[in-house]
Amino acid sequence: MDNASLLLHSFQLQLLKPEIFVTCACVGVVTLLFALYYTYFGTDEESPVSFTISLPEQCKPGWQGRVLVEPTIKIVGSSVIQCYCPANGMLLGRVNPVTPDGIDRAIVKAKEAQLEWAKSSFSQRRRVLKTMLKYVLDNQESIATIACLDSGKTKIDAFLGEILVTVEKLNWTIQHGEKALKAERRPSNFLMMYKQNEVRWEPLGVVAACVSWNYPFHNIMGPIISTLFTGSALLLKSSEQTAWSLAPFVSIARTALSACGHSPNLIQPLSCWPATASHLTSHPGVAHITFIGSRPVAHSVCASAAKSLIPVCVELGGKDPAIILDDNSNIQRLPQTASIILRGVFTSAGQNCIGIERVIALPTSYASLVSILETRIRALRVGSTLDEPEDVDVGAMISDASFDRLEGLVADAVAQGAKCLVGGKRYVHPKHPGGHYFSPTLLVDVRPRMRIAQEEVFAPICVLMRADSVDDALVIANSTSYALGASVFGSAGSEDVEKCVRGVRAGMVSVNDFGVYYAVQLPFGGVAGSGYGRFAGEEGLRALCNVKSVCRDRWPGWGVRTSIPSAIDYPVRNAARAWRFCRGMAELGYGEGWRRAEGLWRMEGAGKEGLDMTPVGVGATSSPSATAGEARDDDVKDGDDTSDDGLQDRSNTVDNGHEASANGLED
């Protein structure tokens, strides 16, 4: 029974439970009622618009392309990007890379379109996203096919990692995006009780996203969804490894914008070589950069962005651990846990930033897992899902560039005492010798100091490590420079599970699961060597905005507004009294009990002492009350008549001020 069948069988068994059946029935009834309501009574201002786009001929059934002898994206003597299918080596086409001038033109177009888009309502933005959602749901087959052609993954992997997470992000943003971006009231304090405070999230303008190749559909759709909903425009640079699919995928968003009456220029797709990318990442016309990729490239991107002080959200790789505890309920569920581990390790041939890279099991679970995993990994089938759809579990890798390193990591671990029970080397497919395949691998008895336990493999390699205790498991889990995601398997709510959740160094944790935090749009990102910043969820949307703090009068109609008390109004007549006033203000605002009363007394005394002092150039007496503002208005009116006298008085004031300051220090 394959993974999909196991998941379906498990789901069917769960539905047989009465409480789950009743819950599902209630959800179904409520959903039907909502659908009927919106069908007959709902407004149509946000209704999705139907549209079609021309699909590449490579998506047609039976298409066969020319098989490249030695597939590579580079062509000697040419600057074009050669695109091919990693699963079979078939040529998909060639893409002309953008030039620096082309980037400049794209920024101008995006900026012009964004000025109008920034005025759009949340309702208009939701309509665009609903239009995109409808298209994705109606065209899952073609989207999965394009993703498989350009990345070599299986169709099941394309559904889970490309389509499912994209429709979830669309749905979450439609349902919750406005709430995340509406102006938010913030508390005031005693001294500023007459002020009303709020935080606004406003469009940044033109932002950029440089995304990786492992999820060619979702990695571009994610930034598009968030950018459009925040009111900005997007420059979208895909990896040169998946340049072919960029155009058809971006056309979904651009056509949806046009269908809803908005400019498609809000989204500017870019494909280029790394040498040109620095022109984009340092461009002063870019307000923010989202980068998804490797640590070495991130260093270059951040250094380039620093030239124009562009903020960067950096999502890098991981060495995610899955901690398997030794409690009774967990041991009984090891076969189900093994299924989750397999999906976490081998999805997209292991090319997953939050993939499970280390399985850290306590002694009892460890012995059983070795047996279960060896049998199931040995049965995994490798191949091209578009050519043999019924006979493939694990697809191709994006290229063979890492194969020497991967084989070296396995050999190094074996030399230090690890055992390679399955795979461990590249695989030459009999039907697709031009494909990039690495054998599904199981490596056991791996210890923390081995290179394969420290370096991200990004490949279909299951690394099994033994821990003597929960504390030991945490030490092993936290022993790398990465800290992206993690999984913990054990009795829900148990002390050991909670200890692991608290103790593991990671930006995200799944309990008794793998990567589910992304399926519910929690903030996504890591710490340490896995990057900084977050996308997804409220935090992700807000990160793409200008955070504007606004402080305004709470009761403007009553004339309650700021007036500078005379004791501290410029020019300050008596520094000692001014200081007593300031000290009293702090005590009144932040003291406790009688100290507040003491502060009020101190302020009142300092204020009264200054009542007989006529401000420079003013014929009326100033007061520490709200009428001080009126006195300052008189300053402006009488200033011309008293300017000469004011200069003389100002000289005396400076001398007296020094004397008062000295007396204050002596007191």
Side-chain angles (χ1 to χ4, degrees):
M1 187 178 291
D2 60 19
N3 292 337
S5 300
L6 280 170
L7 289 171
L8 179 61
H9 179 64
S10 175
F11 180 67
Q12 290 169 337
L13 289 177
Q14 294 294 322
L15 284 179
L16 294 177
K17 296 181 179 180
E19 64 272 18
I20 296 181
F21 178 80
V22 172
T23 301
C24 291
C26 292
V27 171
V29 171
V30 172
T31 302
L32 178 61
L33 291 174
F34 270 108
L36 290 173
Y37 174 82
Y38 281 108
T39 299
Y40 295 102
F41 303 105
T43 61
D44 61 356
E45 63 179 10
E46 294 185 12
S47 297
V49 181
S50 296
F51 67 90
T52 59
I53 61 173
S54 298
L55 295 175
E57 63 172 339
Q58 293 87 339
C59 294
K60 297 177 181 178
W63 174 82
Q64 292 289 316
R66 177 167 64 91
V67 178
L68 301 175
V69 178
E70 294 183 0
T72 177
I73 62 172
K74 294 182 178 181
I75 300 177
V76 177
S78 174
S79 64
V80 301
I81 303 171
Q82 180 169 257
C83 308
Y84 65 92
C85 176
N88 53 29
M90 288 186 183
L91 178 66
L92 296 173
R94 293 184 175 90
V95 173
N96 286 316
V98 70
T99 63
D101 286 343
I103 293 174
D104 292 339
R105 290 192 296 271
I107 291 176
V108 171
K109 290 180 181 179
K111 187 174 182 179
E112 291 176 352
Q114 191 274 333
L115 292 176
E116 189 65 29
W117 180 246
K119 305 173 187 176
S120 63
S121 66
F122 285 123
S123 180
Q124 291 173 309
R125 297 173 193 178
R126 272 194 296 270
R127 191 184 193 199
V128 173
L129 298 193
K130 288 181 178 180
T131 298
M132 292 167 58
L133 176 58
K134 182 180 186 300
Y135 182 89
V136 174
L137 291 174
D138 291 344
N139 295 273
Q140 297 181 58
E141 184 79 22
S142 59
I143 291 171
T145 298
I146 294 172
C148 293
L149 284 168
D150 212 15
S151 68
K153 64 181 59 180
T154 69
K155 290 186 77 172
I156 299 300
D157 288 345
F159 170 76
L160 294 173
E162 307 277 13
I163 296 172
L164 186 62
V165 291
T166 298
V167 295
E168 160 58 23
K169 189 176 185 73
L170 280 164
N171 182 70
W172 185 93
T173 309
I174 291 167
Q175 298 295 328
H176 307 289
E178 181 175 358
K179 178 184 176 183
L181 298 182
K182 288 189 74 170
E184 184 177 281
R185 289 287 180 87
R186 293 294 174 87
S188 193
N189 56 51
F190 182 76
L191 294 177
M192 302 294 288
M193 67 175 69
Y194 65 99
K195 292 294 185 180
Q196 180 176 285
N197 312 313
E198 68 180 20
V199 176
R200 295 168 173 257
W201 286 273
E202 299 182 347
L204 279 174
V206 177
V207 301
C210 303
V211 299
S212 59
W213 43 261
N214 52 336
Y215 292 101
F217 179 64
H218 179 69
N219 280 355
I220 69 168
M221 294 303 290
I224 287 175
I225 294 166
S226 296
T227 301
L228 289 180
F229 201 79
T230 55
S232 290
L234 178 66
L235 301 168
L236 184 60
K237 181 202 172 296
S238 71
S239 167
E240 57 272 20
Q241 296 283 358
T242 50
W244 176 76
S245 60
L246 179 63
F249 285 156
V250 167
S251 68
I252 296 174
R254 288 170 62 94
T255 308
L257 282 165
S258 296
C260 295
H262 305 290
S263 173
N265 286 336
L266 286 165
I267 310 297
Q268 295 291 323
L270 305 172
S271 293
C272 65
W273 296 107
T276 306
S278 61
H279 186 75
L280 169 65
T281 54
S282 63
H283 202 290
V286 174
H288 182 278
I289 297 173
T290 298
F291 174 79
I292 304 174
S294 67
R295 196 185 304 181
V297 179
H299 289 169
S300 298
V301 170
C302 291
S304 177
K307 296 176 182 177
S308 296
L309 298 179
I310 304 172
V312 186
C313 173
V314 181
E315 195 277 290
L316 308 179
K319 194 67 181 173
D320 290 12
I323 300 175
I324 318 297
L325 301 177
D326 263 354
D327 53 54
N328 291 331
S329 64
N330 198 40
I331 292 173
Q332 293 171 2
R333 287 185 50 83
L334 275 181
Q336 292 88 344
T337 299
S339 292
I340 298 175
I341 291 172
L342 289 171
R343 179 55 64 184
V345 172
F346 294 103
T347 289
S348 294
Q351 300 165 120
N352 184 4
C353 58
I354 55 170
I356 296 176
E357 293 244 344
R358 296 171 295 157
V359 181
I360 305 169
L362 271 64
T364 303
S365 298
Y366 184 90
S368 299
L369 273 178
V370 171
S371 176
I372 296 171
L373 292 174
E374 180 179 6
T375 300
R376 296 186 62 178
I377 292 174
R378 197 176 295 278
L380 294 178
R381 300 160 299 175
V382 176
S384 171
T385 190
L386 298 179
D387 297 303
E388 302 93 24
E390 303 299 327
D391 301 317
V392 176
D393 299 303
V394 181
M397 296 186 66
I398 195 68
S399 78
D400 58 3
S402 65
F403 287 0
D404 288 342
R405 184 181 72 89
L406 295 174
E407 289 175 342
L409 289 173
V410 173
D412 175 75
V414 170
Q416 295 185 59
K419 298 182 180 67
C420 184
L421 302 184
V422 183
K425 58 184 178 181
R426 69 194 73 195
Y427 175 71
V428 179
H429 199 286
K431 293 183 180 179
H432 311 294
H436 305 314
Y437 297 101
F438 197 88
S439 300
T441 298
L442 175 60
L443 201 61
V444 304
D445 295 346
V446 174
R447 295 193 299 275
R449 292 186 179 181
M450 296 178 182
R451 285 177 55 209
I452 203 164
Q454 295 294 317
E455 299 180 19
E456 183 181 34
V457 295
F458 222 59
I461 299 176
C462 183
V463 171
L464 192 55
M465 308 175 73
R466 187 198 310 268
D468 296 329
S469 64
V470 175
D471 288 336
D472 187 36
L474 284 172
V475 170
I476 295 172
N478 295 334
S479 64
T480 76
S481 62
Y482 295 97
L484 189 56
S487 296
V488 181
F489 293 86
S491 296
S494 71
E495 183 179 338
D496 285 343
V497 167
E498 294 308 311
K499 183 176 183 177
C500 289
V501 170
R502 291 192 306 268
V504 68
R505 186 179 59 158
M508 305 161 290
V509 180
S510 293
V511 177
N512 292 324
D513 218 318
F514 143 72
V516 288
Y517 35 75
Y518 198 55
V520 293
Q521 285 298 291
L522 288 176
F524 187 97
V527 294
S530 291
Y532 50 83
R534 296 292 185 270
F535 56 81
E538 289 188 6
E539 292 79 1
L541 274 183
R542 292 175 172 182
L544 285 176
C545 296
N546 170 37
V547 184
K548 181 181 287 185
S549 300
V550 180
C551 187
R552 65 176 84 243
D553 293 325
R554 188 183 297 272
W555 304 295
W558 295 0
V560 180
R561 55 195 300 179
T562 298
S563 293
I564 305 299
S566 61
I568 58 173
D569 200 8
Y570 285 128
V572 175
R573 295 302 188 101
N574 189 311
R577 292 167 182 166
W579 174 247
R580 285 197 294 274
F581 183 89
C582 292
R583 180 180 172 184
M585 183 188 296
E587 292 171 335
L588 174 64
Y590 305 100
E592 295 183 359
W594 285 104
R595 187 158 192 178
R596 284 198 167 193
E598 183 181 349
L600 180 60
W601 174 82
R602 199 185 303 275
M603 290 176 65
E604 183 69 11
K608 286 182 177 179
E609 290 171 357
L611 284 177
D612 60 342
M613 292 195 281
T614 303
V616 177
V618 181
T621 299
S622 179
S623 166
S625 66
T627 57
E630 298 173 1
R632 283 193 303 279
D633 291 340
D634 292 337
D635 282 352
V636 177
K637 296 176 182 178
D638 300 337
D640 291 340
D641 297 333
T642 59
S643 58
D644 295 337
D645 294 338
L647 290 174
Q648 182 64 39
D649 289 345
R650 189 182 306 272
S651 176
N652 296 333
T653 299
V654 173
D655 293 337
N656 293 336
H658 283 300
E659 292 177 10
S661 177
N663 293 334
L665 291 175
E666 292 173 3
D667 290 341

